[in-house]
Amino acid sequence: EAGVAQSPRYKIIEKRQSVAFWCNPISGHATLYWYQQILGQGPKLLIQFQNNGVVDDSQLPKDRFSAERLKGVDSTLKIQPAKLEDSAVYLCASSRTGKTYNEQFFGPGTRLTVL
Amino acid sequence: DQQVKQNSPSLSVQEGRISILNCDYTNSMFDYFLWYKKYPAEGPTFLISISSIKDKNEDGRFTVFLNKSAKHLSLHIVPSQPGDSAVYFCAASADSGYSTLTFGKGTMLLVSP
């Protein structure tokens, strides 16, 4: 079975620019997660979707970050405008359901550098 | 406020020996714990988990121990292999429906031949 796909793998932008990341979860997985991993830290959940509805976005900086999951499959995460502190790896994960005991499968991530 | 703490940024072990990675948590609502392994340029992959109703869970060379009173868990790898060299993340969840994972900062394990 194909894993979680993410693109692009790397992105370099200047501060105040906009950027978007794309994620294609494992087929049939209802739950999709976006995490931010800053260098030296563990992944931090930004937003969790159950099908195309938002379950948890309490840690998403909504003034600059937005995410959508149209049709309950693919998802995009956007940052507008970017700040230096947004430099991080953005990980997408999916699971069959949102229950904790269902393993989360992670994609390879997108490394964002904001100059 | 770090709710999941991995106080050792790195650990070096010789091949064949035991690796012990530690994790502490502060949130008493956490009742499900997981370990993830991450290689460079890849996403984390699930390794092993334990529910708070247990104090030990084994899967091959990997064993996780949970001490609820001390709010401490540990991952034992026996015997350690060079391919185990990776960053290991401890994660915890309060199982309340669609629960989310809180990760520690990770411990980099280096297993030398």
Side-chain angles (χ1 to χ4, degrees):
Chain A
E1 125 186 295
V4 176
Q6 290 188 248
S7 68
R9 292 295 309 275
Y10 304 92
K11 190 73 177 179
I12 301 174
I13 62 172
E14 296 192 348
K15 60 183 179 184
R16 292 187 289 272
Q17 286 187 321
S18 301
V19 65
F21 312 125
W22 173 81
C23 174
N24 186 21
I26 292 173
S27 176
H29 279 195
T31 312
L32 186 146
Y33 313 79
W34 282 103
Y35 288 87
Q36 180 192 58
Q37 186 180 9
I38 293 172
L39 186 65
Q41 306 286 323
K44 182 184 85 170
L45 180 72
L46 292 176
I47 189 167
Q48 178 177 345
F49 292 95
Q50 183 69 18
N51 296 308
N52 60 349
V54 175
V55 173
D56 184 350
D57 64 355
S58 57
Q59 298 191 88
L60 186 74
K62 298 180 186 65
D63 57 333
R64 298 184 301 106
F65 286 65
S66 64
E68 60 182 9
R69 190 183 184 197
L70 299 176
K71 301 180 182 178
V73 182
D74 292 8
S75 177
T76 55
L77 176 70
K78 296 179 182 177
I79 307 175
Q80 180 179 359
K83 293 185 175 181
L84 296 177
E85 59 260 35
D86 298 332
S87 294
V89 175
Y90 290 84
L91 294 162
C92 179
S94 70
S95 67
R96 194 169 55 82
T97 74
K99 298 298 184 180
T100 306
Y101 48 80
N102 281 147
E103 180 183 345
Q104 290 188 28
F105 293 83
F106 284 81
T110 296
R111 181 176 295 278
L112 173 67
T113 302
V114 182
L115 302 175
Chain B
D1 175 34
Q2 238 188 317
Q3 299 186 65
V4 177
K5 300 177 184 179
Q6 294 179 257
N7 292 320
S8 298
S10 62
L11 175 67
S12 292
V13 171
Q14 280 197 317
E15 182 178 8
R17 300 286 188 108
I18 184 172
S19 295
I20 300 176
L21 295 94
N22 294 304
C23 178
D24 298 292
Y25 62 96
T26 58
N27 188 340
S28 58
M29 297 299 292
F30 287 149
D31 58 5
Y32 197 78
F33 305 90
L34 309 90
W35 285 93
Y36 277 80
K37 175 179 175 179
K38 185 182 184 304
Y39 292 117
E42 295 182 11
T45 54
F46 170 76
L47 192 57
I48 192 169
S49 63
I50 188 167
S51 165
S52 60
I53 62 173
K54 293 185 173 183
D55 55 16
K56 178 182 173 180
N57 188 28
E58 283 183 83
D59 184 1
R61 297 185 297 114
F62 302 91
T63 303
V64 56
F65 295 92
L66 175 62
N67 182 333
K68 283 183 293 183
S69 61
K71 294 191 175 68
H72 176 84
L73 63 153
S74 60
L75 174 68
H76 293 212
I77 307 174
V78 184
S80 301
Q81 300 174 354
D84 297 329
S85 297
V87 177
Y88 289 78
F89 290 101
C90 172
S93 172
D95 190 14
S96 54
Y98 295 110
S99 53
T100 59
L101 295 180
T102 301
F103 284 84
K105 290 186 176 183
T107 297
M108 180 179 291
L109 174 66
L110 177 62
V111 181
S112 53

